[in-house]
Amino acid sequence: MAITDNEADSRWCNRIGMLATIVPAVLFILWCVCWPEIVKGRVLVADIPWMPSFDLSLRFRLDGLSLLFGLIVTGIGTLVCIYSAAYLSGHRHCGRYFFYLLAFMLSMLGLVTADNLLLLFLFWEATTIFSYLLISFDHESPTARENGRQSLLITAAGGLALLLGILLLKGAGYSYVISSWTDLSEPVSGHPLYPYILGAILLGAMTKSAQIPFHFWLPNAMSAPTPISAFLHAATMVKAGIYLLMRCHPLLGDSHLWTVSLATIGGITAVWGAAQAIGPRDLKRVLAYTTMMALGILTLFLAGRSTAALTAAVTFLLVHALYKAALFLAVGSIDHQAGSRNLNEISGLRRTMPLTALAVGAAALSMSGFPLFFGFIGKEIMYAGALAEELIPLLAASTALVANSLMTAVAAVLAIGPFTGPFKAIRQQVVEAPWTMWLGPLLLGGLGILFGLIPGWVSRALVEPAVNAFHPNGEEVRLALFHGFNLPLVLSMLTLSFGIGAYLLRDRLHRVLIAPLTGLPFGAEKGYYGSLNRFMKGSGTLTEALQNGSLHFYLAVIIGALIVAVGWPLTGGVLGWVDFSSPLPDPAVLALLVFIAAAALVVVTARKRLAAIGGLGGIGGGVALLFLSYGAPDIALTQLMVETLTIIFVSLAMLRLPAIERSRLRPPRRRLGDGLLSLAAGTLLALLLMGIGRVSLDRSLTAFFEANSYLAAHGRNIVNVILVDFRSFDTLGEIIVVVLAAWAAVTLIRKPMEP
Amino acid sequence: MHSIILKTATRLMVGLILVFAVYLLLRGHHEPGGGFSAALVAGTGFALLAIAEGPGTVRAAIRLRSTTISLLGLGLAVAASLTALFTGQPLLTGIWWGAEAKPWIGTPILFDVGVFLAVLGAILSVLLALEEF
């Protein structure tokens, strides 16, 4: 990252950072004010109509689940803002950074409070876009740009799938309003569209929450500034998919398909992420893989239907948000102060950075599930939840056991590696980070202990309201520090001992088990690049074939397509409509037709450009007169003026070109081809128009406009009233297009000619 | 182009054409005309001026830049569309002022003026670019 030592920049950055902090801090206080009411079971709803015709309203709802997510987003958001002011101190693009960060945070808040699926989708896409901007924030680095593009392509594609799922759900007859799902009489799982709805929504959730096989963008997203990784890729955005799964649980969660697919995907992601986390030397990459593991575990537990399993998911969500944000921020401090975050390049920082070391220690102990820490309670409830499942108790418990043991080992790597041993760092002088940078990690790490000591309060005030929001069956699962000597406790102890074992054997484990797997010639990421390359190559070939620079070719394609598209349906007997016995039009019209035909002949046979242009004008003028003779003065006027201007523009352009040379004329055979194509198109359109004349017109629209244009829109000219009143939305779009097209044309005209 | 006849005729014609354009624009709600046709007519007038006197004269005559005119037009059209929101009605609802039975001005007319300016700006942009090419 381009850090400059400019004093002024640095002061400005601090000031804007502190200003930015106000936003999440105020929101956090606001959330806290609502908190007691929500815990009591009240729900706050705001409903403002937006586009009633699309069933889209600005409907926001604050219940237990939104409260929990909102507290995480605003609370960690506040700490991340404070942290960033110092972390980015002196960066040229500070303002941009805080703008993206706040915009992202507000979209995330919108996402977790939206009570309308379409509205949720809008915020969903907003988080995708701002996360793209944040991942490629260091935009001068090609890697950052590439990684940003990767995350954008994957999560935006998933977003499209989600939109499809939402529309299918609506098509199946269900409401967009999320809160109306909990009291449905029949679950969706019986509907024939259910598998498609589930598939599409799962795709959206899986890409956002980095589940296998879409996981690889998450480790690559680590090219974002570290506080961003802490916020987006640990505490908030990646959890959007999890949030969606929780919200959809009452509606979609009642089938074997749901349970099996979530359990499989989540289980594989959890184990694979945890296993991958042992290898890398870059601390941020380690953290990214553990995030993947956490997301897998959350998905795995959301597969379940018992209150215990869902409580485990919500509890672990909170546990993970606390320790992961603390660890990310601390790793950022290490990187900032010691000049590296590579395990090979740093060690023995405990004396020089004691507060950071303390924070990492607390967070890592919580992560490993050490007794007395909040992580321990999270793990207990996890095992209890796994064992309470009807369908998959053994699978869930053993997956959780493997993933948690590996996690314990990784926690040890994180806490021991950088801080113990002899002092080693890239910078000669390493000092503790400023208070703004140790405050966040220490506070979050401390909360991990505090919550561990008061599990009853956490469960009453945070976990239970959240679970009840999407699983309201009134069953209670209380968190407690000690549940008695039972199977979960045994499993917890097993986890710790396996974890210590895995830590001691980590190098061998990585060499023997993990390294061969990462070197495979195939894999999700290789598949991504392969298909991306093929797509690029394919579209390149297609573009070269279609955009070959010959205006002749373009016109031939357009006219050919017109003939096929219009002519194809006509082959099915529509020609029978055409009535050749209709009487001749009156002589004036006949004369006009002859004039138009003569003008067309002039265009085709002209040897000089000016003559051809004149012929074109003649055709246009003739057609305008035709309109006039059939009683459409508005269209005639417009046609005439468009024709005049076209002639002026075409002559201005054409007269600057060199004269037509005989030698450059197209060969006769190709001219014959052009002529046949034109004749075919003309004949087809003429037949079509004659056919249309035979069909009786639906006069209802005409009647409507005749009746309403003066009364409702105060205008007697129906054409104009349609343009500026009844269909003014179209007109608005059209004038925007006209202006944009003109600007584009100007740019092309002014562009210097390529030699 | 150096033609005394064209230049003299242009001087007489341009003013007439522009007045006619404004007339078309204002009568558009009840008789044939309207923003789009009026912009085309005005554009033809400026094209005539540009051919006879050169693009510099047109630039001097319109004073504003053609892109500014387009933006003004778009802005006016959008403003006219948004007005209804302030009265609690859906976007683009026509709001009229004046006598109940025969109001004389309303947002659709402002919208039409917006169309006129946007299209005229677009025509002028392309015209001037082509003339100066």
Side-chain angles (χ1 to χ4, degrees), chain A residues 131-283:
Chain A
S131 109
Y132 160 72
L133 291 171
L134 283 164
I135 292 173
S136 42
F137 178 69
D138 188 13
H139 60 89
E140 279 162 23
S141 137
T143 340
R145 286 204 305 271
E146 172 54 37
N147 292 339
R149 182 176 76 162
Q150 191 181 54
S151 82
L152 180 71
L153 280 179
I154 293 174
T155 49
L160 286 183
L162 173 65
L163 180 62
L164 178 71
I166 293 173
L167 295 178
L168 281 176
L169 196 64
K170 182 76 182 170
Y174 293 89
S175 163
Y176 284 145
V177 178
I178 299 171
S179 55
S180 69
W181 295 346
T182 39
D183 45 45
L184 278 180
S185 52
E186 264 175 57
V188 192
S189 50
H191 199 281
L193 278 177
Y194 175 73
Y196 306 101
I197 297 173
L198 181 67
I201 290 186
L202 275 190
L203 259 181
M206 281 162 56
T207 47
K208 198 79 163 180
S209 283
Q211 302 290 314
I212 275 186
F214 309 110
H215 59 286
F216 50 90
W217 71 264
L218 182 61
N220 291 338
M222 293 302 126
S223 49
T226 308
I228 292 304
S229 307
F231 192 51
L232 268 67
H233 307 119
T236 57
M237 185 186 84
V238 288
K239 299 249 169 74
I242 302 297
Y243 173 79
L244 183 72
L245 292 180
M246 288 177 173
R247 279 296 180 205
C248 291
H249 204 281
L251 185 70
L252 303 173
D254 190 32
S255 73
H256 284 311
L257 194 58
W258 167 281
T259 309
V260 170
S261 42
L262 254 64
T264 323
I265 298 163
I268 296 176
T269 309
V271 173
W272 182 239
Q276 292 266 78
I278 293 202
R281 310 305 290 167
D282 177 0
L283 286 173

Side-chain angles (χ1 to χ4, degrees), chain B residues 10-115:
Chain B
T10 303
R11 272 181 211 161
L12 289 172
M13 293 292 292
V14 169
L16 275 179
I17 293 176
L18 292 181
V19 170
F20 180 59
V22 174
Y23 167 69
L24 274 182
L25 168 67
L26 293 181
R27 76 176 213 147
H29 211 54
H30 297 299
E31 309 289 335
F36 191 71
S37 346
L40 294 174
V41 172
T44 321
F46 284 118
L48 189 60
L49 191 62
I51 291 168
E53 308 270 355
T57 317
V58 177
R59 281 196 191 282
I62 59 175
R63 297 189 190 194
L64 293 176
R65 289 171 46 171
S66 50
T67 44
T68 316
I69 297 182
S70 302
L71 282 180
L72 266 177
L74 290 183
L76 201 58
V78 170
S81 324
L82 294 180
T83 314
L85 290 185
F86 293 104
T87 63
Q89 284 165 290
L91 192 77
L92 288 162
T93 312
I95 307 288
W96 289 88
W97 291 277
E100 186 69 27
K102 204 179 173 191
W104 60 279
I105 190 161
T107 53
I109 291 177
L110 292 185
F111 187 85
D112 219 11
V113 176
V115 172

